[in-house]
Amino acid sequence: MKLTTSFGDNKEYIRVKALEKSFPVRDNVVKVLKDVNLTLPQNKFIVVFGPSGSGKSTLLNLLLGLEKPDKGELSIGGFRLDREDVETTTNFRKERVGVITQQPNWIKSANVLNNVAFPLLLHGVPSYKAYTRAMELIALMGMKPWVNFYPTELSYGQQQKIAVARALVTDPEVIVADEPTGNLDYESGLNLVNILSELCKNGRTVLMVTHDLNNVELSDIVVRVFDGRVVEVINTKDNSMRELKKYLIDYSKFVESGTRAVSKLDITPIDPEAVKADTLNIFQRIKGLLINTVDAFSTTLFVLMSLIVKTLYLLLSFKFLPTPLKNSRFILEASYDRLISFTKLTKPNSIKPTQLLDIAIRSLFFRKTRAIITIGGISIGIAFTVFLLSIGFGIERLVISRVASLAVLNQLDIYPSNARQLVINNESIEEFKKFDNVTDALPILNMAGRIEYQESNLDAVVFSVQSKYLNYSDFSLIEGQYFNSDSLPEYIVDVEESEESLTTTDENEDLVTVDIGSNYIKDAVVNLALLRNIGLSSSEAIGREIDLSFVLTNDSNKNEVEVETTFQKYKIVGVIANQDTPVIYIPIKTIEMFGNIDYTQARIVTSDQSMVQSVRDSFEIQGYKTTSVLDTITQIEQLFNTARTVFLAVGIVALSVASLGMFNTLTVSLLERTKEVGIMKVIGLSSRETKQLFLSESILISLFGTIVGIIGGLLGGFIFSLLISVISLSRANLFVNISYLPLETALLILVVALLIGLVTGYYPAYRATRISPLEALRYE
Ligand code: ADP
Ligand code: MG
């Protein structure tokens, strides 16, 4: 950007040759400019003077490159406006032209300072430099006290001064103003024209359209336009002002009284042949779509990165930080800018992503209620989804943790098969231990038992196991300990004696009652269900003795005999957590006196969880039946997967409704901002930057909405857990968190929501690129 003014003295600075321009009106074509020819020098205050409707604005719009001529040539300072495309002319205006419109036009969400600095930002000037320069010009216009006001809070006269500051901030070589005094009172108008005439003293060219005679006085050249033609170019200094004014007044009078011949309107019907819409072919469309998609994604990336950089920048400017650390934020910003320019995704001479983000954020904040409602809509949709999903995941996690701790996931149980005549006995247990990846095999004998304690007696499931089994399992030991020996003290192992006392007491041949001696006490571990049934609490249970008899089906010699033992004393050494049915675990040695018996099952411990399946297969090939907690977990997971799919569907519906709301907001807000978009384009916002600006807004909305939604959903889950815990406090006594969201799911939701933001934001963003800059100049 040029900050010093030194323009040449080009005699043919503005050149217009055989220029024609028509507009379609209904079915006709109205010729507005008819063969305009004009050559104007640089460094002059040029006033285009003519009655209303004579085509002055049309001529000016063509000179700004906002419209294309039908025929003829026109150029400013060598730039061929009739030849160059939209992007190039936009850039031409950005680099070389300052524009002042009749109706002041502003970025409504930006204050005076930001509005004046805006053209500089489009040049890629760092914010602090842009603000310094903007301040200079605002001060020059005597508007310093108003920098923090919104322009629309000021009077028209004040607004036009700000508009001059904005037009001058990039130090353009030509200032173009269409009826800039149109909305001003006499004095303010005169003041403004004075300022404009001053500008030419520094080598600038000023081109002003007016139909007000008072504005002619300070001009160097008057271009008289009448009925779509330049009828005269008058050098003001060659004439006495009085004569010139009189001449022009007479001329105006003629026009008003109609005494001078007003040529008929040049109207011809539209030639249908000429209106062939220039349709794009399929390849151009696909190419456009691809470019747009890449653009949309790169914009998302920019917005996210810029947000991060911006947040870091703000954190680093925290006033209590040490100065070197605080200063590092400038390095951060500079490095980020360098990174961005390195990617070549933004042109070097264009607005920085962080600045674009600033504008988008300001625009969101400016329309607070609307932003809150839109972001709120997205948040509720996301929160709802997150809540349902987190409860789903949470309950699943809870159930699985109740089913099995991680420790038992490497284990499986195997059962003999009657059909294949496979048994599990001490020999087979030794065989199992030799299997690949099997680290241990533990015999289990599951029996029915009877328990007597004081007055009460009840049926219980008896597991005769090794103490290792208890350690491997994930029972939660509430009280005491496990029996830690699998061998009984020697004095009590007196099998001979026991076998001698084996007596049949029943007429039923199959049932044999065995007295296994009552002079010794064995250890046992019981569960809470059993204690409840005999009326003991877990704390008083340890050390108590209960009587147990169990029924053993010994079919090792293939003559199914049920053996019922006499009641024996067992000492409770440990209590494990509640289960539904009363269970008692007794040492496996207790039943060893019955010889080589067949076990009801075996617990197989594998080297690793991943080995369970292969080990399982090798047992199943032999004919054993197997079970594993993994089965249950798989079932639970399947159940919850179904539930989650339903939750997700509900969430997607909620989100779709929310994104429709967002779409609506963006579209409506765009309609409101056509003039704002128009003026930004007049100043030099490229169509790509326009798209980026609007996409930034929609990405911001969905990003904020998603983050608030995820937090809200998790909070909802937490509160829900709290409520459930309070309700069930009498039983569980502790807080159970039943809401949980895996990080990858949270990230997935974030990505999906951003995509939704992108898709919903895309159409309004695309529409924004279609807005004509003329919207800003149109006078209402
Ligand atoms: P001025 O600025 O001198 O008042 P304009 O250049 O605005 O005149 O307009 C000249 C004529 O062209 C007017 O009759 C106007 O109605 C017509 N005109 C200008 N722009 C358009 C347009 N986009 N479509 C149709 N007619 C237009
Ligand atoms: Mg006009």
Side-chain angles (χ1 to χ4, degrees):
M1 196 200 60
K2 305 176 290 279
L3 275 171
T4 50
T5 315
S6 142
F7 304 117
D9 205 0
N10 188 345
K11 293 272 177 263
E12 298 196 345
Y13 181 63
I14 297 173
R15 282 170 50 96
V16 180
K17 248 171 97 182
L19 188 70
E20 287 183 24
K21 179 70 184 171
S22 308
F23 290 108
V25 177
R26 298 238 180 137
D27 299 334
N28 297 312
V29 180
V30 181
K31 200 173 238 182
V32 174
L33 293 183
K34 310 154 187 171
D35 190 25
V36 175
N37 292 285
L38 192 62
T39 310
L40 293 165
Q42 196 170 17
N43 195 7
K44 297 283 182 234
F45 183 17
I46 303 153
V47 169
V48 179
F49 183 80
S52 176
S54 55
K56 305 183 295 291
S57 295
T58 307
L59 177 61
L60 217 64
N61 293 343
L62 288 166
L63 284 169
L64 284 171
L66 302 175
E67 264 173 318
K68 287 277 163 248
D70 300 336
K71 276 189 194 136
E73 289 174 17
L74 82 164
S75 65
I76 295 184
F79 184 84
R80 285 290 292 267
L81 290 141
D82 53 316
R83 280 194 189 154
E84 303 292 350
D85 64 9
V86 177
E87 290 303 311
T88 323
T89 39
T90 305
N91 197 54
F92 162 75
R93 282 196 304 277
K94 179 169 101 176
E95 298 286 339
R96 298 170 68 177
V97 188
V99 183
I100 300 165
T101 58
Q102 172 169 1
Q103 249 191 350
N105 269 299
W106 306 108
I107 303 173
K108 291 203 187 72
S109 53
N111 62 14
V112 166
L113 183 64
N114 281 312
N115 263 294
V116 175
F118 177 71
L120 288 172
L121 300 188
L122 290 183
H123 282 79
V125 176
S127 303
Y128 68 96
K129 270 192 198 164
Y131 288 143
T132 315
R133 171 84 176 143
M135 273 308 284
E136 275 171 35
L137 281 151
I138 293 166
L140 197 70
M141 291 295 135
M143 294 300 293
K144 210 169 175 178
W146 311 99
V147 274
N148 290 320
F149 282 66
Y150 288 107
T152 45
E153 293 172 331
L154 308 179
S155 75
Y156 273 130
Q158 288 172 318
Q159 286 189 49
Q160 284 305 55
K161 285 186 185 172
I162 302 296
V164 175
R166 180 177 62 188
L168 287 177
V169 79
T170 53
D171 199 32
E173 54 183 74
V174 54
I175 302 275
V176 177
D178 192 352
E179 314 253 19
T181 60
N183 283 3
L184 304 186
D185 57 274
Y186 177 76
E187 207 168 317
S188 310
L190 216 56
N191 194 359
L192 182 66
V193 177
N194 254 311
I195 293 170
L196 291 177
S197 71
E198 286 294 309
L199 297 178
C200 297
K201 299 211 170 114
N202 298 321
R204 227 178 248 106
T205 309
V206 177
L207 193 63
M208 181 179 84
V209 162
T210 187
H211 63 264
D212 185 349
L213 206 55
N214 293 308
N215 295 336
V216 174
E217 215 155 302
L218 295 166
S219 67
D220 298 315
I221 295 167
V222 175
V223 176
R224 193 155 72 76
V225 177
F226 184 74
D227 190 24
R229 286 175 223 271
V230 170
V231 286
E232 220 170 347
V233 176
I234 307 161
N235 194 338
T236 322
K237 302 292 182 279
D238 292 348
N239 299 276
S240 91
M241 190 47 65
R242 256 182 61 202
E243 264 169 43
L244 176 66
K245 269 193 169 179
K246 190 170 175 298
Y247 174 73
L248 291 173
I249 287 169
D250 286 348
Y251 151 80
S252 306
K253 271 189 195 148
F254 285 141
V255 174
E256 274 155 29
S257 62
T259 40
R260 183 174 278 202
V262 177
S263 72
K264 283 197 298 270
L265 279 176
D266 186 345
I267 301 178
T268 50
I270 286 179
D271 176 8
E273 278 299 297
V275 210
K276 268 206 191 117
D278 41 346
T279 45
L280 296 169
N281 68 34
I282 185 86
F283 291 110
Q284 283 166 317
R285 275 170 193 275
I286 290 173
K287 191 180 155 206
L289 196 71
L290 277 178
I291 290 174
N292 286 338
T293 313
V294 169
D295 241 25
F297 279 106
S298 67
T299 304
T300 314
L301 203 67
F302 279 174
V303 172
L304 293 180
M305 288 199 316
S306 306
L307 256 181
I308 293 168
V309 170
K310 195 130 204 87
T311 314
L312 281 176
Y313 187 91
L314 285 178
L315 286 178
L316 283 173
S317 52
F318 187 58
K319 66 175 168 203
F320 297 115
L321 287 177
T323 317
L325 197 61
K326 266 163 78 173
N327 288 345
S328 68
R329 69 186 196 272
F330 301 118
I331 301 170
L332 173 81
E333 196 182 36
S335 330
Y336 180 62
D337 286 344
R338 214 165 299 141
L339 176 78
I340 291 296
S341 62
F342 181 71
T343 61
K344 298 256 186 332
L345 280 163
T346 55
K347 292 197 185 108
N349 209 16
S350 63
I351 189 161
K352 296 181 194 304
T354 41
Q355 294 168 339
L356 208 61
L357 192 68
D358 279 340
I359 298 174
I361 290 174
R362 268 205 302 269
S363 166
L364 278 184
F365 271 92
F366 188 68
R367 296 159 180 94
K368 266 196 206 84
T369 324
R370 181 182 293 178
I372 288 169
I373 290 172
T374 318
I375 292 176
I378 300 282
S379 314
I380 289 169
I382 297 273
F384 191 55
T385 317
V386 166
F387 174 75
L388 290 178
L389 283 180
S390 75
I391 296 293
F393 275 115
I395 293 179
E396 176 178 7
R397 190 180 62 162
L398 198 69
V399 170
I400 289 179
S401 76
R402 288 289 148 99
V403 168
S405 73
L406 284 175
V408 300
L409 291 177
N410 65 337
Q411 304 174 19
L412 68 143
D413 287 341
I414 63 162
Y415 303 86
S417 150
N418 289 335
R420 303 276 287 265
Q421 305 222 312
L422 282 168
V423 294
I424 300 174
N425 55 27
N426 285 336
E427 288 95 68
S428 42
I429 289 283
E430 289 310 311
E431 287 300 313
F432 296 160
K433 288 182 183 169
K434 293 177 195 149
F435 274 43
D436 283 347
N437 300 314
V438 170
T439 52
D440 211 349
L442 311 170
I444 301 165
L445 189 63
N446 179 355
M447 301 168 289
R450 270 201 88 63
I451 284 174
E452 284 183 354
Y453 175 75
Q454 293 173 353
E455 306 297 271
S456 48
N457 65 69
L458 76 145
D459 293 327
V461 180
V462 182
F463 281 102
S464 193
V465 294
Q466 294 180 359
S467 59
K468 265 197 281 185
Y469 171 82
L470 295 173
N471 290 321
Y472 279 136
S473 300
D474 64 333
F475 303 133
S476 54
L477 186 67
I478 305 176
E479 207 74 55
Q481 62 202 47
Y482 296 142
F483 41 81
N484 54 12
S485 166
D486 290 321
S487 60
L488 299 165
E490 276 200 24
Y491 72 96
I492 54 170
V493 185
D494 197 354
V495 179
E496 289 303 311
E497 191 191 306
S498 300
E499 271 178 9
E500 268 170 32
S501 62
L502 196 146
T503 45
T504 313
T505 53
D506 208 294
E507 279 96 82
N508 186 344
E509 282 284 300
D510 286 347
L511 189 66
V512 182
T513 305
V514 183
D515 182 357
I516 52 172
S518 56
N519 56 335
Y520 47 84
I521 300 165
K522 297 165 276 285
D523 291 345
V525 170
V526 298
N527 72 352
L528 281 178
L530 188 141
L531 288 183
R532 201 183 316 122
N533 273 285
I534 58 173
L536 274 178
S537 76
S538 55
S539 52
E540 46 187 28
I542 301 301
R544 300 273 174 151
E545 287 170 16
I546 54 172
D547 293 305
L548 169 70
S549 119
F550 49 82
V551 177
L552 181 88
T553 314
N554 193 350
D555 53 10
S556 62
N557 36 15
K558 305 292 168 275
N559 53 348
E560 299 259 334
V561 185
E562 285 204 337
V563 176
E564 183 175 14
T565 66
T566 53
F567 279 96
Q568 298 296 308
K569 287 228 174 297
Y570 281 83
K571 190 169 81 181
I572 300 174
V573 295
V575 179
I576 61 170
N578 206 1
Q579 276 161 358
D580 295 335
T581 48
V583 177
I584 179 165
Y585 295 89
I586 59 172
I588 196 116
K589 284 283 172 188
T590 320
I591 49 138
E592 274 183 356
M593 62 190 63
F594 300 107
N596 187 15
I597 54 158
D598 290 347
Y599 299 109
T600 49
Q601 66 211 69
R603 167 66 53 95
I604 305 295
V605 184
T606 66
S607 54
D608 187 83
Q609 188 184 332
S610 59
M611 291 301 154
V612 171
Q613 197 50 49
S614 67
V615 170
R616 210 172 165 177
D617 290 344
S618 55
F619 277 102
E620 284 181 350
I621 286 168
Q622 295 202 0
Y624 291 100
K625 297 193 189 98
T626 65
T627 61
S628 152
V629 271
L630 287 176
D631 295 343
T632 325
I633 290 173
T634 311
Q635 277 172 11
I636 294 170
E637 277 172 355
Q638 274 166 0
L639 185 73
F640 279 95
N641 266 335
T642 318
R644 265 202 300 274
T645 313
V646 174
F647 290 167
L648 206 62
V650 173
I652 285 171
V653 171
L655 257 186
S656 312
V657 173
S659 48
L660 275 182
M662 177 171 150
F663 180 78
N664 182 49
T665 308
L666 290 171
T667 315
V668 169
S669 112
L670 185 67
L671 287 177
E672 253 176 32
R673 287 158 73 186
T674 42
K675 274 184 171 278
E676 186 173 318
V677 176
I679 192 68
M680 289 197 271
K681 287 184 171 179
V682 169
I683 295 172
L685 188 75
S686 75
S687 99
R688 189 198 164 109
E689 288 164 338
T690 312
K691 207 185 293 164
Q692 286 177 347
L693 180 63
F694 279 85
L695 274 179
S696 298
E697 277 188 36
S698 62
I699 289 164
L700 277 177
I701 291 176
S702 49
L703 188 70
F704 284 150
T706 313
I707 290 171
V708 172
I710 290 179
I711 292 173
L714 289 178
L715 210 65
F718 181 76
I719 291 169
F720 185 70
S721 304
L722 215 59
L723 283 177
I724 295 289
S725 300
V726 167
I727 291 167
S728 61
L729 206 59
S730 48
R731 280 190 286 136
N733 256 330
L734 42 97
F735 171 67
V736 182
N737 192 2
I738 52 168
S739 102
Y740 159 72
L741 193 69
L743 186 65
E744 54 276 21
T745 310
L747 288 178
L748 186 73
I749 291 176
L750 193 67
V751 169
V752 168
L754 281 179
L755 275 179
I756 290 177
L758 207 60
V759 170
T760 29
Y762 190 79
Y763 176 71
Y766 173 77
R767 281 268 299 265
T769 63
R770 304 272 113 182
I771 289 177
S772 162
L774 284 171
E775 294 287 345
L777 303 178
R778 207 153 275 154
Y779 174 70
E780 281 154 16

